[in-house]
């Protein structure tokens, strides 16, 4: 019987090996076989661990160490005596097509109607809406991948996760993933049972499925609020916002405003004429123009401070999403930012982080789903290693998503690295060691980087149109495809005479019934409906002479080379064909 071992989510490689009583090198080796370059301190999510244990063929079952149904208390910044109430920070998650986008639109639509959100730009990743004279901050993440990236920080960031479940579809795998995320982040969960306007909507069933995930709704004695809504008719949307404010009150969300500002970079891109622009969510403190901030390896003197609608602001407090210009280089999505006393401190700190990052092993992150995909594929699979760099997280996600759609069972891209920002030296090193092509979308590459690339024979390909980038990748993938072997029919002959039969050769005569026969070719021999043998046509005769071809209606001789004895009989039908190699494209 299989032994059961309980492991936590995000277990380290070292700890997993220990629990499995395996040498850690064996585990690392298995991970490498599956395309994951992991060190002993690397963390694996539960699914990855499960897949790897399966691959190792161990008679061990992994069990998720139970997460309490009670929300884990988040590590909030400890608010001092002067702490002020702050808006709640909300993320909306759920299964695809359950209506996350529609619900956010419905929530924001109310604002648009009020004429307050006119300046929303394409890349907003957080915004505030006003409800009952109070602000609510929404994080708009393009997908669960983005969530994974801010998960660590998200623990401090997201107060409430709205889990959207379609009333006509119920709890699905991504719903469960979202619930797990929310719990790990220690966020309060509010369930929006969406699409209640639809026929087939079954609220009670959804509640029951939620209960199976340890989310017991209030009316059944639990503490989870689940509200029926319709993003389409806007039914329940206002009540949902009421509820969010109520939950926020219960949580008593406060933060200091009179401390140096701190928070998280949630988007960064380069804007023509403005340089690096960062979107950040302030967690505590008050940010003002003119202050010095550091975020990862980048620092800035805050030149302009704007709200996400593009309006200049003089200061921004906790839970406010802001747009900061003035960065010298581009910070990264997920970087924590903080205000430092002066330029020197900011520059020194940024440089230290940049050096640390550059020396850290650059590696491509791989999610468990990607791993599953790889494992479930046949050995035939050929991969094209690539690195993607893009101007903003949004385009990065769309490029990566589009690339998934061009893969087949035989060829696929393997994203060994990706990031927002220009092509860096690190990218070149990584591309060199992984044999990867660097694709850039809406970004540039500095001359020194190009020189480095050409020295290391790394190909950098920059595109501004996503389809052109995809076409280039397709072309590269096509090169990996093995040639297709195509059979072409040549003709048919009916056997009318047998002249010679040895172990390796048959010479026979007959009438060409179809096509034009030419040697060399391949043949299949049929007796009635059954195929009785295969051979190779090595020569043709017309009368006593060799012939180059025999056309339909002609009588002639065929010389077949056989492997083993071929018992040809009068009346057999011989089909002639060739096999050709044909290059394939995607
Ligand atoms: P997402 O993938 O979770 O962001 O889902 P979307 O917001 O894109 O919605 C998926 C589909 O469901 C779209 O066709 C929406 O029009 C539809 N939809 C979303 N909310 C509702 C709703 O409340 N009622 C109905 N009838 N359809 C909805």
């Amino acid at each position: 019987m299989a032994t059961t071992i309980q492991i936590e989510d995000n277990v380290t490689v070292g700890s997993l090996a220990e629990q499995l009583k395996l040498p850690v090198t064996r585990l690392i080796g298995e991970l490498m076989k599956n395309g994951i370059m992991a060190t002993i301190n690397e963390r694996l999510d539960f699914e990855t661990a499960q897949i790897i244990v399966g691959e190792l063929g161990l008679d061990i079952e992994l069990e998720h160490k139970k997460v309490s149904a009670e929300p884990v208390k988040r590590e909030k910044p400890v608010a001092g005596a002067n702490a002020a109430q702050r808006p709640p920070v909300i993320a909306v998650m759920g299964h695809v097509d359950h209506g996350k986008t529609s619900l956010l639109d419905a929530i924001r639509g109310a604002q648009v109607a009020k004429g307050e959100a006119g300046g929303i730009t394409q890349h907003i990743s957080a915004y505030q809406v006003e409800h009952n004279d109070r602000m609510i901050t929404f994080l708009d993440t393009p997908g669960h991948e983005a969530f994974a990236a801010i998960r660590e920080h998200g623990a401090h960031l997201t107060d409430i996760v709205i889990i959207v479940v379609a009333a006509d579809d119920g709890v699905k795998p991504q719903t469960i993933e979202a619930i797990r995320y929310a719990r790990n982040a220690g966020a309060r969960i509010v369930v929006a049972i969406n699409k209640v306007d639809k026929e087939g909507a079954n609220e009670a069933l959804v509640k029951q499925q939620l209960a199976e995930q340890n989310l017991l709704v209030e009316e059944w004695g639990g503490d989870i609020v689940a509200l029926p809504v319709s993003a389409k008719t806007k039914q329940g949307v206002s009540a949902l916002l009421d509820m969010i404010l109520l939950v926020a009150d219960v949580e008593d969300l406060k933060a200091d405003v009179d401390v140096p500002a701190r928070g998280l970079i949630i988007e960064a891109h380069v804007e023509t004429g403005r340089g690096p622009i960062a979107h950040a969510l302030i967690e505590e403190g008050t940010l003002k123009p003119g202050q010095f901030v550091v975020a990862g390896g980048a620092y800035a003197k805050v030149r302009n401070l704007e709200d996400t609608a593009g309006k200049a602001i003089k200061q921004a407090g906790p839970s406010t999403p802001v747009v900061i210009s003035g960065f010298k280089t581009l910070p990264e999505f997920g970087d924590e930012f903080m205000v430092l006393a002066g330029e020197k401190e900011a520059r020194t700190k940024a440089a230290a982080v940049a050096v640390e990052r550059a020396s850290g092993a650059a590696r491509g992150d791989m999610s468990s789903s990607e791993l599953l995909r790889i494992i479930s594929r046949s050995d035939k699979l050929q991969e094209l290693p690539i690195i993607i760099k893009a101007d903003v997280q949004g385009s990065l996600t769309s490029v990566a998503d589009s690339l998934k759609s061009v893969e087949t069972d035989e060829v696929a891209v393997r994203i060994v690295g990706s990031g927002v920002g220009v092509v860096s030296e690190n990218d070149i090193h990584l591309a060199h060691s992984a044999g990867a092509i660097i694709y850039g979308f809406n970004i540039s590459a500095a001359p020194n980087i190009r020189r480095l690339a050409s020295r290391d024979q790394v190909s950098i390909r920059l595109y501004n149109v996503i389809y052109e980038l995809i076409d280039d990748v397709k072309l590269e993938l096509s090169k990996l495809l093995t040639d297709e072997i195509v059979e072409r029919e040549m003709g048919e002959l009916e056997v009318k005479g047998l002249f010679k039969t040895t172990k390796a050769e048959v010479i026979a005569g007959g009438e060409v019934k179809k096509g034009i026969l030419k040697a060399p070719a391949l043949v299949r021999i049929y007796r009635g409906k059954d195929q009785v043998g295969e051979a190779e046509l090595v020569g043709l005769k017309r009368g006593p002479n060799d012939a180059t071809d025999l056309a339909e209606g002609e009588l002639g001789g065929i010389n077949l080379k056989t492997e083993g004895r071929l018992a040809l009989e009068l009346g057999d039908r011989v089909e002639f064909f060739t096999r050709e190699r044909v290059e394939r494209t995607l």
Side-chain angles (χ1 to χ4, degrees):
M1 222 188 84
T3 331
T4 305
I5 293 182
Q6 288 204 346
I7 61 157
E8 299 158 13
D9 204 5
N10 291 322
V11 64
T12 63
V13 171
S15 154
L16 181 62
E18 198 176 308
Q19 293 179 66
L20 295 173
K21 301 198 170 57
L22 275 184
V24 71
T25 44
R26 168 124 190 253
L27 186 57
I28 290 177
E30 191 63 35
L31 284 162
M32 275 170 79
K33 261 202 252 160
N34 290 294
I36 301 179
M37 300 299 162
T39 61
I40 188 163
N41 294 321
E42 214 77 62
R43 289 182 183 278
L44 303 174
D45 62 25
F46 181 77
E47 285 141 53
T48 309
Q50 221 169 16
I51 294 163
I52 287 297
V53 167
E55 285 286 297
L56 281 162
L58 301 175
D59 198 17
I60 289 177
E61 258 179 40
L62 293 187
E63 212 170 68
H64 221 146
K65 219 173 229 178
K66 286 270 176 295
V67 196
S68 149
E70 284 299 307
V72 187
K73 269 287 156 225
R74 331 183 287 127
E75 278 177 54
K76 291 181 210 170
V78 185
N82 296 332
Q85 192 189 43
R86 63 172 178 84
V89 179
I90 318 294
V92 178
M93 298 185 74
H95 197 71
V96 64
D97 277 349
H98 279 195
K100 296 177 293 293
T101 316
S102 307
L103 188 61
L104 273 167
D105 283 351
I107 289 169
R108 212 160 35 159
Q111 289 297 111
V112 175
K114 280 191 204 164
E116 289 179 13
I120 289 170
T121 64
Q122 201 186 343
H123 300 308
I124 286 187
S125 40
Y127 45 81
Q128 291 192 306
V129 298
E130 201 180 322
H131 185 71
N132 297 345
D133 297 326
R134 287 172 64 182
M135 299 309 270
I136 304 174
T137 303
F138 283 89
L139 274 184
D140 190 359
T141 53
H144 289 195
E145 282 151 22
F147 262 114
I150 60 163
R151 188 146 111 182
E152 296 264 305
H153 307 272
H156 305 273
L157 206 65
T158 320
D159 300 304
I160 301 169
V161 172
I162 299 179
I163 308 253
V164 180
V165 188
D168 61 340
D169 201 26
V171 170
K172 292 280 165 215
Q174 282 170 296
T175 320
I176 296 172
E177 187 182 293
I179 294 170
R180 188 145 61 93
Y181 162 76
R183 281 182 174 146
N184 284 346
R188 287 294 305 261
I189 292 175
V190 170
V191 180
I193 304 182
N194 190 32
K195 306 198 189 185
V196 290
D197 61 288
K198 276 183 91 168
E199 212 173 297
N202 190 341
E203 256 182 79
L205 181 63
V206 173
K207 288 177 184 169
Q208 189 192 320
Q209 292 171 334
L210 288 170
E212 286 162 19
Q213 302 300 323
N214 281 337
L215 290 185
L216 204 57
V217 294
E218 281 181 331
E219 54 270 42
W220 293 358
D223 66 348
I224 295 295
V225 180
L227 291 177
V229 300
S230 164
K232 190 177 173 190
T233 67
K234 312 239 181 333
Q235 177 201 334
V237 171
S238 178
L240 179 67
L241 296 176
D242 287 343
M243 188 50 69
I244 284 169
L245 288 174
L246 198 67
V247 172
D249 287 341
V250 173
E251 289 282 287
D252 193 22
L253 303 172
K254 283 186 171 168
D256 283 328
V257 289
D258 54 359
V259 295
R262 228 168 44 76
L264 193 75
I265 302 293
I266 48 179
E267 179 76 285
H269 63 275
V270 178
E271 239 167 64
T272 323
R274 291 183 77 197
I277 301 290
H279 289 230
L281 187 66
I282 298 172
E283 207 174 340
E284 63 172 10
T286 304
L287 184 65
K288 295 175 184 163
Q291 289 180 325
F292 288 95
V293 298
V294 63
Y299 77 98
K301 177 175 184 176
V302 180
R303 195 165 58 219
N304 290 310
L305 192 64
E306 293 171 358
D307 65 14
T308 47
K311 200 171 91 212
I313 43 178
K314 293 245 154 34
Q315 59 174 52
S319 299
T320 315
V322 291
V323 181
I324 303 170
S325 64
F327 275 98
K328 312 286 178 220
T329 53
L330 207 58
E332 281 177 25
F333 175 73
D335 277 341
E336 205 162 334
F337 83 87
M338 64 181 82
V339 166
L340 292 178
E343 173 147 25
K344 189 158 162 265
E345 286 88 340
R347 195 177 48 222
T348 316
K349 174 102 173 96
V353 174
V355 167
E356 192 183 315
R357 285 193 180 167
S359 62
R363 64 180 185 94
D365 284 330
M366 190 172 286
S367 67
S368 58
S369 57
E370 265 174 288
L371 175 60
L372 250 184
R373 220 158 33 96
I374 288 167
I375 289 179
S376 59
R377 273 184 192 141
S378 62
D379 295 339
K380 283 194 315 195
L381 182 78
Q382 296 287 324
E383 287 183 322
L384 178 71
I386 63 167
I387 293 171
I388 319 171
K389 299 297 294 259
D391 55 340
V392 293
Q393 189 64 37
S395 14
L396 194 62
T397 311
S398 14
V399 171
D401 285 351
S402 317
L403 289 178
K404 276 183 200 143
S405 67
V406 297
E407 64 184 35
T408 69
D409 285 345
E410 293 167 76
V411 290
V413 294
R414 181 154 64 87
I415 302 172
V416 296
S418 65
V420 171
V422 296
V423 180
S424 70
E425 212 176 302
N426 238 349
D427 297 330
I428 306 286
H429 295 321
L430 180 58
H432 181 62
S433 59
I437 298 173
I438 300 177
Y439 283 96
F441 183 65
N442 277 342
I443 56 154
S444 59
N448 61 323
I449 295 294
R450 288 182 188 273
R451 271 196 299 278
L452 187 64
S454 93
R455 192 198 72 189
D456 288 354
Q457 293 179 326
V458 167
S459 171
I460 302 179
R461 306 186 188 175
L462 304 177
Y463 287 95
N464 296 314
V465 180
I466 195 159
Y467 300 108
E468 291 175 4
L469 190 158
I470 304 297
D471 282 347
D472 190 297
V473 172
K474 273 192 189 168
L475 208 65
E476 288 298 328
L477 284 172
S478 297
K479 291 184 193 161
L480 297 178
L481 283 174
T482 44
D483 291 344
E484 193 178 10
I485 307 288
V486 178
E487 277 190 13
R488 291 194 205 286
E489 266 182 49
M490 189 185 258
E492 263 180 48
L493 171 142
E494 191 185 317
V495 177
K496 305 239 169 178
L498 291 167
F499 307 124
K500 183 178 167 195
T501 305
T502 67
K503 221 166 100 185
E505 193 185 22
V506 173
I507 298 175
E511 181 186 347
V512 180
K513 293 284 186 194
K514 203 161 105 182
I516 298 175
L517 313 185
K518 280 188 183 143
L522 297 164
V523 305
R524 290 194 189 99
I525 293 138
Y526 292 89
R527 194 161 301 147
K529 280 199 174 118
D530 301 330
Q531 186 186 329
V532 294
E534 285 180 13
E536 233 177 283
L537 174 73
V538 290
L540 293 168
K541 283 198 188 289
R542 185 176 289 111
N545 305 319
D546 287 343
T548 49
D549 54 32
L550 286 178
E552 187 174 326
E554 279 194 275
L555 291 169
I558 54 173
N559 186 346
L560 302 180
K561 208 169 99 193
T562 65
E563 266 180 46
R565 192 170 286 275
L566 182 68
L568 202 64
E569 290 179 8
L570 296 184
D572 282 353
R573 185 161 55 84
V574 184
E575 275 186 13
F576 298 79
F577 63 96
T578 55
R579 283 205 182 112
E580 282 169 34
R581 262 178 201 286
V582 179
E583 269 185 30
R584 286 185 299 158
T585 51
L586 277 185

